[in-house]
Amino acid sequence: LAIGGGTAVAVNFRETAPAAASATMFLGPDGQVDRSRATRSLLSTAVPGSVAGLALAQRCYGRLPLAQVMAPAIRLAAQGFPVSRELGDSLAAAAPRLQADPVSRSLFLPPPVPGTVLRQGELAASLRRIAAEGERGFYTGPVADALVGAMERGGGLITHGDLRAYRAQLVRPLRREFRGHPVLTMPPPGGGLTLLQLLGILEPFDLAATGLNSAASLHPMAEAMNLAYRDRNALLGDPDQVPVPVERLLSPAHLDRLRRRIDPQRHTPAPALEAAAATEGTNTTHLSVADRQGGLAALTTTLNFPYGNGISVPGMGFLLNNEMDDFTALPGSANAFGLRQGTANAIAPGKRPLSSMAPTLVFRPDGRPWLATGSPGGSRIITTILQVLLNRMVHGLNLAGAVAAPRIHSQLWPDRIDAEEGLSPDSRRLLEAMGHGVRQAPAMGAANSVEVLAGGGSLGTVDPRRAEGPAVAE
Ligand code: DON
């Protein structure tokens, strides 16, 4: 998502399901979801989109040639870089998945000791092809041959036809004002619609008066999250394939109706909300950049799990995603992030799985660019961004404080609030007294953000959290 020269645009490079995919492809003979097939097999890989998306953004909006912007990445891959403790730890954590694939094992295991140099010669060669030929260097030619060969040998579905057919899209960002500030974010299949619903439901609450991380603020936030995730689970999917009622879901009438469902004193349990819905009728990376010319960009990209399904394309030096698990494998059955989604997000050929990724830009009331933010964290992405925005815009924290403050998350199912370390014991007690289940959860999200300062210049904030994998057991 980016603005430059007064126009804002979103690049949708979400992966697509291969042409041979089907709604029931992850169900075992017992009719239940085979979680391993959905996350660790070549069937879990959707047609990759990052190369097409980044190349499209460079072609349309880049000031420098592709080969020049890719040169530092190629150099790092070819000459290597010293492994940080964080990278060493994260490879060790992913070792069971990487171990299962001989190519990944030879590339990444045993996990390098921090300080040793990690060289990726095959990756450098793949990147050089893209630098020379653009996206054709990935979707056709030797890289495509190797990827399709691995699919054919290992029971995957992606064909040359799927790779050739992949297109990234330029789309119009979703826009809504929050307290006089235009907020622009990613439309479906991205997570921005849910983010704007949350801002819309919460706008009239005087959260500044009830205070940051008090039970009186967290209760309406958690209830709003459950209501917005109910809409997400039931109604959202790839708008190119299913009708997504974007305008209705963001209309003041709908948001007012949702807000009225919030009991100020009591948590509404998930089953009660779910019943009402039926009668109505449904290792990610984020970076934020500001430049001197008023350009602002927010980019979120992912393989789904850290290191995707752990399977690498032989000879090409890169891992494959397991984004197919973001689809609904079986209505009502939880995916790796605990999301229980509906048929709008069922698997279909060429369809994009619903995502929570929601790169977001905020403007000053006079229209000048102000903030770029976004986050990894699976289903927790949307609520992470919500809290960064509320902390900065409502509670008046500076950007570093807004990003660092402890966060909560709720997504209707499981029917509980996940709270990071740092929630005060009395907030927790008060929330429990209102009927909320509260679980202390690991760190959620990593909302690297940037703010354009009123007097000129910009201030970047790195989220101090370590990026975490899926919330729920793989
Ligand atoms: O698109 C989505 O919603 C997920 N594939 C994002 C996964 C993610 O953020 C994992 N990172 N922690």
Side-chain angles (χ1 to χ4, degrees), residues 323-374:
E323 304 282 11
M324 293 293 286
D325 188 50
D326 283 342
F327 278 120
T328 307
L330 179 67
S333 158
N335 75 355
F337 294 101
L339 290 169
R340 301 193 197 176
Q341 309 174 100
T343 51
N345 190 33
I347 304 172
K351 192 172 172 187
R352 295 177 154 88
L354 198 55
S355 174
S356 297
M357 292 185 282
T360 296
L361 308 179
V362 185
F363 297 78
R364 294 183 191 275
D366 65 7
R368 280 178 301 151
W370 184 33
L371 299 171
T373 188

Side-chain angles (χ1 to χ4, degrees), residues 2 8 15 46 94 101 192 306 336 400:
E15 302 79 7
D101 177 56

Side-chain angles (χ1 to χ4, degrees), residues 14-15 232 283-285 300 302-306 323 326 337 339 353-357 375-381 467-470:
R14 184 63 164 160
E15 302 79 7
R232 182 189 190 281
N283 200 100
T284 310
T285 301
T300 316
T302 186
L303 295 180
N304 196 26
F305 289 9
E323 304 282 11
D326 283 342
F337 294 101
L339 290 169
L354 198 55
S355 174
S356 297
M357 292 185 282
S375 180
S379 55
R380 297 153 296 170
I381 289 172
E468 296 284 333

